[in-house]
């Protein structure tokens, strides 16, 4: 049994890497995808992790499979599509380390995962199941996500959902507003950004919006706010932790590192009822998550930028 199983995208992020001697931009081939990033962070902290998803039967797919194996993420649930290529993303870095994405995914292999291809024994037998919004933009992977999350819930598995809204991947904002909230009742813990919180609730007040998500049945709402820090809302408490100040050059994977570190801690605690965790404990949990996310911003790429526990603890201790 694995500590965590994640279903979703595993792709290539082409990230800026300087210029050649003719002044032409160079791009580095980095392994990425929010699910893969999060699992890699969880595994790097010492947890056992397994990936479920699809890549192409191509050189990029070969490379990504080897990256997961090297990162101690099990690939039994990684399928290869011989008709559709591995999904690619071109990353543009913005001032302050933020970024924008152009996806080559019409279609890409990650959206081709079907419900009948799910390893239900893997999903139903883990401690934590995680899914996210990037893998809900298209069929058949949208149906696969809902089927997997529903199965995990039926088996009593602790379930995590990351909204992870990427506007360019959806047909319209209206479609995202219709689909993403359907995941909320299937999750014990929900992670959102400030923009995503407004998108899926339609409520501007952060606390009221978070409470509306709690009303769907989840136990905790994680609100990631980039350079401002993070918050958590449960039915019994609220905690806020400011961000660490670092020299941010690339925010790719930062939110995934944040969430991976938090889920790892919750698993170490035995996945307690989220409403029973004290404000002080949540403060400690968020602090470690913030440190993991901040350090990821100091390096380029997703998985290659993930920090070690020693680095995380070093930042926490100043």
């Amino acid at each position: 049994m694995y500590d965590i199983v994640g279903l979703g995208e595993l792709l290539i992020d082409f990230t800026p890497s300087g210029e050649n001697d003719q002044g032409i931009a160079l791009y580095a081939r980095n392994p990425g995808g929010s699910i893969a990033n999060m699992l890699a962070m969880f595994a790097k902290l010492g947890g056992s992790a397994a990936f479920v998803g699809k890549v192409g039967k191509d050189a990029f797919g070969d490379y990504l499979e080897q990256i997961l194996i090297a990162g101690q993420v099990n690939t039994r649930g990684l399928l290869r599509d011989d008709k559709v290529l591995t999904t690619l993303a071109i990353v543009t870095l913005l001032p302050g380390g933020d970024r924008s994405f152009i996806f080559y995914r019409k279609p890409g292999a990650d959206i081709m995962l079907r419900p009948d291809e799910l390893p239900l024994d893997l999903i139903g037998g883990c401690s934590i199941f995680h899914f996210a919004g990037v893998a809900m933009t298209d069929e058949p992977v949208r149906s696969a996500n809902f089927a997997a999350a529903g199965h995990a819930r039926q088996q009593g598995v602790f379930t995590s959902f990351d909204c992870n809204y990427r506007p360019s991947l959806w047909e319209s904002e209206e479609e995202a507003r219709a689909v993403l909230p359907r995941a909320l009742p299937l999750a014990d813990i929900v992670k959102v950004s400030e923009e995503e919180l407004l998108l899926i609730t339609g409520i501007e007040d952060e606390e009221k919006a978070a409470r509306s998500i709690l009303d769907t049945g989840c136990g905790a709402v994680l609100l990631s706010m980039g350079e401002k820090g993070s918050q958590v809302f449960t039915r019994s408490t609220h905690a806020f932790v400011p961000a660490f100040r670092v020299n941010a050059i690339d925010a790719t994977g930062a939110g995934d590192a944040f969430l991976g570190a938090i889920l790892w801690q919750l698993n170490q605690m035995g996945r307690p009822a989220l409403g029973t965790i004290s404000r002080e404990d949540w403060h400690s949990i968020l602090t470690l998550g913030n440190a993991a996310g901040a350090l990821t911003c100091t390096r380029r790429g997703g998985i290659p930028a993930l920090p070690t526990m020693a680095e995380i603890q070093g930042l926490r201790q100043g």
Side-chain angles (χ1 to χ4, degrees):
M1 183 176 85
Y2 289 90
D3 293 330
I4 191 166
V5 171
L7 187 159
E9 76 282 10
L10 174 63
L11 50 82
I12 297 291
D13 284 328
F14 281 107
T15 54
S17 184
E19 298 179 345
N20 67 8
D21 55 9
Q22 296 174 300
I24 298 172
L26 299 174
Y27 285 80
R29 177 192 66 173
N30 279 305
S34 68
I35 301 294
N37 294 337
M38 186 281 298
L39 291 174
M41 184 74 263
F42 191 101
K44 199 162 189 176
L45 295 176
S48 61
F51 177 83
V52 176
K54 188 174 281 193
V55 294
K57 201 169 186 180
D58 51 33
F60 288 141
D62 295 340
Y63 168 68
L64 291 170
E65 182 175 15
Q66 291 307 310
I67 287 292
L68 289 185
I69 292 171
Q72 302 298 308
V73 177
N74 182 272
T75 58
R76 186 189 130 199
L78 176 63
L79 302 180
R80 309 293 295 271
D81 196 307
D82 59 5
K83 296 182 175 64
V84 180
L85 297 174
T86 299
T87 299
L88 309 178
I90 309 300
V91 182
T92 299
L93 298 181
L94 306 173
D98 205 354
R99 69 271 186 254
S100 64
F101 298 87
I102 299 173
F103 290 91
Y104 286 77
R105 194 196 193 212
K106 293 294 182 180
D110 71 299
I111 69 173
M112 305 308 292
L113 182 70
R114 304 188 310 269
D116 65 288
E117 296 177 307
L118 294 171
L120 294 179
D121 60 327
L122 196 65
I123 293 166
C126 63
S127 298
I128 301 173
F129 173 72
H130 178 71
F131 64 122
V134 168
M136 301 176 73
T137 60
D138 297 87
E139 293 290 1
V141 73
R142 180 186 298 171
S143 292
N145 268 269
F146 283 116
H151 179 71
R153 294 286 279 187
Q154 289 172 2
Q155 299 302 310
V157 175
F158 182 97
T159 305
S160 166
F161 175 67
D162 181 358
C163 185
N164 203 18
Y165 174 60
R166 295 280 181 259
S168 63
L169 293 178
W170 291 85
E171 288 296 326
S172 66
E173 187 175 300
E174 290 70 28
E175 182 188 31
R177 283 204 202 99
V179 173
L180 292 172
R182 291 171 49 199
L184 303 180
L186 297 172
D188 292 292
I189 189 166
V190 172
K191 174 187 169 290
V192 291
S193 67
E194 294 168 288
E195 296 79 10
E196 291 162 353
L197 184 61
L198 176 60
L199 174 79
I200 62 176
T201 67
I203 301 171
E204 293 190 2
D205 181 271
E206 287 180 351
E207 182 172 356
K208 290 180 180 178
R211 299 293 172 195
S212 75
I213 296 177
L214 293 172
D215 288 342
T216 68
C218 86
V221 177
L222 294 171
L223 179 59
S224 60
M225 303 180 296
E227 63 182 15
K228 291 185 287 186
S230 62
Q231 300 183 62
V232 64
F233 297 87
T234 72
R235 292 179 183 83
S236 59
T237 194
H238 164 255
F240 163 75
V241 175
F244 289 92
R245 298 303 170 194
V246 296
N247 179 28
I249 62 172
D250 182 358
T252 303
D256 308 320
F258 164 80
L259 182 57
I262 286 176
L263 293 178
W264 177 80
Q265 291 173 91
L266 293 175
N267 191 62
Q268 291 292 104
M269 296 167 65
R271 301 169 307 284
L274 297 172
T276 67
I277 300 175
S278 68
R279 182 178 181 276
E280 291 72 24
D281 283 344
W282 274 119
H283 192 278
S284 176
I285 291 167
L286 291 177
T287 299
L288 192 143
N290 284 1
L295 287 167
T296 303
C297 292
T298 65
R299 302 165 182 151
R300 299 192 186 279
I303 292 175
L306 298 173
T308 64
M309 177 59 86
E311 291 172 323
I312 292 170
Q313 296 291 18
L315 182 61
R316 287 184 71 184
Q317 294 165 10

